[in-house]
Amino acid sequence: WIFLINVPVGAAAVALARPLLPATPGLGLEKGVDVGAALAVTAAPVLAVYAIVQTNQHGWVSVQTLGMLALALVIAAVFVAIERRTAAPLVPLRIFHSRTIAVANAVIALFVASFFGWFFFAPLYMQRILNFTSFQTGASFLPVSLTIGILSIGVAARIIERYGARTPLLVGTALSGLGFLLFARAPIDGNFVVDVLPPMLLLGFGAGISFMPVVLIAVSDSDPADSGLVSGLMSTSQMIGGAVGLAVLASLAVARTATLSGGGPVSPAALNGGYHAVFLAAAAMALLASLLTGFLLRSTEPSAQLAVEEQAAVAA
C-alpha cells in the first residue's frame, strides 16, 4: 500500500511539468517502435540482477548463476545487433562514439550504484544495530534531503557557472566516497551525531553537486538533436547501475555476514561487518567514478543559463 503514495505525487508532477515543457513536436510513432530492443535492454539487466541475488544460495560458479549471466550477456549482444540494423533504433550506437558520453554514463551508473547501496543499508544499520525506530531512521535522512534541496535550487548552478561542470563532479564523487568510508567504520554502539550525521552531510553535499554536472557534461558533448536521447540514456544508466549495483552489494553483505557468523547465530557484530563491506564497496564505486571523471572526462564550461535550464529536470 505504501507505493500508492507515488500515484498522486506522479500525477502532480505531470500536471506541474506540462506548462514548463516546450511545445516542440517529436517524431511520434511514424518511424515505428523498437520493441525488440526495448525487450532486450529490459531482460538483460533483469536476468543479471536475478543471477547475482541468487549467488548466496547457488554460489558464483554454479551452473545456474553462470548460465543466467551468460544468457544476460547474449541478450545484451542481441540488443546491440538489433540497434545496428533497425531503421529507428531505441539507442543509436553512434552516440557512444563520443568518449565523453560513454564515460559520463559509466560515471553515473557507478555513482548511483553506490548510492543505492547506501539508501538500502544505512537504514538497516540504524534500525538493526542502533535500534532506531522507523521515524528516527527516516528523520536521519532529513539532513541529506535538505542539503540536496538547497544545492538544487540554484547553488549547484552557480558552482557550475564558476568552476565548470567537471570540477564539482570530481569533488562531489570524492566527498561521497569519503562519506561511505565513514559509514564503513560505524560501530555497533554508535550514535547519530558522531557516526551518522557527518557521513550523511558529506553524501548530501556530494550528491548535490554531482548529479547535475554529469548530465550537463554528457548533454554538452552531444548534438542539440540528440540531447533528449542522451538525457534518457543517462537516466537508463542510473537505473541499470543502481539495480545491478544493489544486487552485488546485497550479495556481498550476506556473504560477509555469513563468514563472520561462522555458521552460527548472526550477532550484531557480524551483521555490522556485512554493512561495513557494503559501504567499503560503495566507497570504491564512488572513488572509481571520481577517477574516471578526473582522467577521462573533458572539462566543460556550461553557461549559467544552460545550468539553469537543466536544473529542474536533474533536481527532480
Side-chain angles (χ1 to χ4, degrees), residues 35-64:
V35 177
L39 293 175
V41 79
T42 304
V46 167
L47 283 171
V49 168
Y50 183 77
I52 293 168
V53 298
Q54 293 295 314
T55 55
N56 292 303
Q57 285 75 38
H58 305 288
W60 281 96
V61 295
S62 67
V63 174
Q64 176 174 324

Side-chain angles (χ1 to χ4, degrees), residues 7 44 67 92 120 126 150 170 209 298 303:
V7 176
F120 189 85
M126 286 183 271
I150 291 171
L170 186 63
I209 64 172
R298 295 185 301 181
S303 66

Side-chain angles (χ1 to χ4, degrees), residues 294-316:
F295 288 103
L296 296 179
L297 281 184
R298 295 185 301 181
S299 180
T300 59
E301 299 293 336
S303 66
Q305 181 60 34
L306 176 59
V308 170
E309 290 175 354
E310 295 288 340
Q311 178 179 317
V314 177

Side-chain angles (χ1 to χ4, degrees), residues 20-304:
L20 302 175
L21 298 174
T24 304
L27 295 176
L29 303 178
E30 295 178 2
K31 292 187 177 181
V33 180
D34 194 0
V35 177
L39 293 175
V41 79
T42 304
V46 167
L47 283 171
V49 168
Y50 183 77
I52 293 168
V53 298
Q54 293 295 314
T55 55
N56 292 303
Q57 285 75 38
H58 305 288
W60 281 96
V61 295
S62 67
V63 174
Q64 176 174 324
T65 299
L66 294 178
M68 297 192 71
L69 289 175
L71 182 58
L73 289 175
V74 169
I75 294 176
V78 169
F79 168 77
V80 174
I82 293 173
E83 299 306 86
R84 287 182 180 275
R85 292 172 173 79
T86 186
L90 185 69
V91 180
L93 299 181
R94 59 175 171 76
I95 205 72
F96 294 107
H97 293 167
S98 165
R99 187 184 75 175
T100 298
I101 293 175
V103 174
N105 276 274
V107 167
I108 201 166
L110 284 167
F111 197 48
V112 172
S114 67
F115 265 78
F116 268 43
W118 167 61
F119 278 129
F120 189 85
F121 285 98
L124 293 180
Y125 167 73
M126 286 183 271
Q127 289 187 302
R128 296 187 176 185
I129 304 300
L130 302 184
N131 296 315
F132 281 17
T133 65
S134 298
F135 178 80
Q136 289 173 321
T137 302
S140 298
F141 280 84
L142 187 59
V144 180
S145 302
L146 291 175
T147 302
I148 294 177
I150 291 171
L151 290 169
S152 297
I153 60 175
V155 177
R158 288 193 288 273
I159 293 174
I160 294 171
E161 178 188 4
R162 180 169 181 178
Y163 298 103
R166 182 171 170 270
T167 298
L169 175 59
L170 186 63
V171 173
T173 50
L175 287 178
S176 297
L178 178 59
F180 292 127
L181 289 176
L182 289 180
F183 261 122
R185 54 145 298 279
I188 58 176
D189 58 347
N191 63 76
F192 175 77
V193 174
V194 175
D195 302 298
V196 176
L197 182 59
M200 285 285 197
L201 292 175
L202 282 173
L203 289 166
F205 188 81
I209 64 172
S210 295
F211 284 107
M212 187 187 301
V214 70
V215 175
L216 289 175
I217 289 173
V219 172
S220 66
D221 200 63
S222 64
D223 294 331
D226 290 332
S227 59
L229 168 65
V230 173
S231 179
L233 188 61
M234 295 289 285
S235 296
T236 303
S237 295
Q238 290 184 53
M239 294 301 101
I240 293 178
V244 176
L246 180 57
V248 171
L249 294 174
S251 298
L252 177 63
V254 173
R256 179 60 178 162
T257 297
T259 299
L260 293 175
S261 298
V266 177
S267 65
L271 196 61
N272 201 35
Y275 301 155
H276 285 177
V278 167
F279 293 131
L280 284 174
M285 292 177 180
L287 293 175
L288 179 56
S290 187
L291 290 174
L292 290 175
T293 300
F295 288 103
L296 296 179
L297 281 184
R298 295 185 301 181
S299 180
T300 59
E301 299 293 336
S303 66

